[in-house]
Amino acid sequence: MTTATTASVRPPARPASFGPARTIRLGLSRVGHELRAYFRQGDTVFFTFLFPLLMLTIFSVAFSNGDFGRTPEGDPVTAAQFYLPAMLAAGVLLSGLQNMAIDIATERSDGTLKRLAGTPLSPVSYFIGKIGQVLVTGLAQAALLIVAARVAFDVPLPTEPEHWATFAWVFLLGVTTCAILGIGLAGLPRSGKSASAVIIPIVLVLQFISGVYIQFTMLPEWLQNVANLFPLAWLAHGMRSVFLPADYAALEAGGEWNLVGIAIACGIWLVAGLVATRLTFRWIRKDG
């Protein structure tokens, strides 16, 4: 009798936790769902995917007669060539931080995260799906920008393999860092309706002080120092080192391409974003 009673009140066995292989497999399968959901949202596609291309076109046409210096061969640096690195860096920020923060805040508000909490999908698998979507769309966006700059505005592209290697690691580090920071910032808006109002001003301010729309060296030194505290200024710096002539390094702070600084700055923000995500992410807001 005692044995039966003990058995009847024994708590049910906890389900076995999923191993890393299943976690990764679920996350990768989630990437396709995230991509389909992304391209079904016209406003998201425009403001995060096509917006840098639109701005590159506007700046290239509006400042087509501007003086942006010359290459070592004596050819003029066009507005399109000058602004291409900035738009690539801005695209990383938009696809990563802005899109991720608004998307997750909206999904938390409309109950999507609450429903996912009742499925086998773990937060890690969910993040793999989100970051995978950002990597795919960010890469497609960068390719579109580069092809448009070359075909429509005759922008010369690097021929040295080391320049493209620099582009690859700066892009991958930048998009991963921005995506992780976007997850961390997703908890800031109190609702999906307020997400755009909270996140977009942050993104706009970062673009204006980081040399995206205004030449970085034209900003006051104190504002350059503030911008260098954030990853976007370093991403723009890295993209300029790839697509602008080597002589343009003299216009940078320190007078050289500081690739080590890019890795350190983005690495610090990546770790900070991971810590913030670990401490703040919940399927449901505690105050919701």
Side-chain angles (χ1 to χ4, degrees), residues 24-202:
I24 294 173
R25 188 165 62 251
L26 286 173
L28 293 177
S29 67
R30 182 80 186 171
V31 174
H33 169 81
E34 295 291 346
L35 285 170
R36 290 190 294 271
Y38 176 86
F39 284 107
R40 287 171 184 163
Q41 303 176 66
D43 54 345
T44 299
V45 172
F46 178 80
F47 284 107
T48 63
F49 189 82
L50 296 177
F51 187 73
L53 178 61
L54 175 64
M55 296 304 295
L56 176 65
T57 302
I58 291 174
F59 284 132
S60 300
V61 174
F63 301 115
S64 58
N65 295 324
D67 183 8
F68 297 95
R70 292 185 174 273
T71 67
E73 293 77 20
D75 299 322
V77 173
T78 63
Q81 183 178 358
F82 183 81
Y83 279 106
L84 174 61
M87 293 305 109
L88 287 167
V92 169
L93 186 74
L94 294 173
S95 294
L97 190 148
Q98 178 175 302
N99 176 56
M100 187 75 77
I102 294 176
D103 198 28
I104 293 178
T106 302
E107 289 185 349
R108 179 180 288 113
S109 182
D110 66 14
T112 299
L113 294 191
K114 184 177 181 180
R115 291 191 293 272
L116 290 176
T119 70
L121 193 73
S122 69
V124 174
S125 297
Y126 175 73
F127 295 154
I128 291 174
K130 287 290 186 185
I131 295 173
Q133 175 256 306
V134 170
L135 284 171
V136 172
T137 56
L139 186 60
Q141 180 190 66
L144 180 62
L145 280 167
I146 293 171
V147 170
R150 178 60 184 158
V151 174
F153 302 107
D154 199 28
V155 172
L157 299 180
T159 56
E160 299 84 354
E162 58 267 23
H163 282 177
W164 287 110
T166 299
F167 170 79
W169 74 256
V170 170
F171 172 82
L172 288 174
L173 178 59
V175 77
T176 305
T177 300
C178 288
I180 295 297
L181 289 174
I183 296 172
L185 279 178
L188 194 59
R190 294 188 60 83
S191 69
K193 292 182 179 180
S194 65
S196 296
V198 173
I199 301 301
I200 290 179
I202 297 174

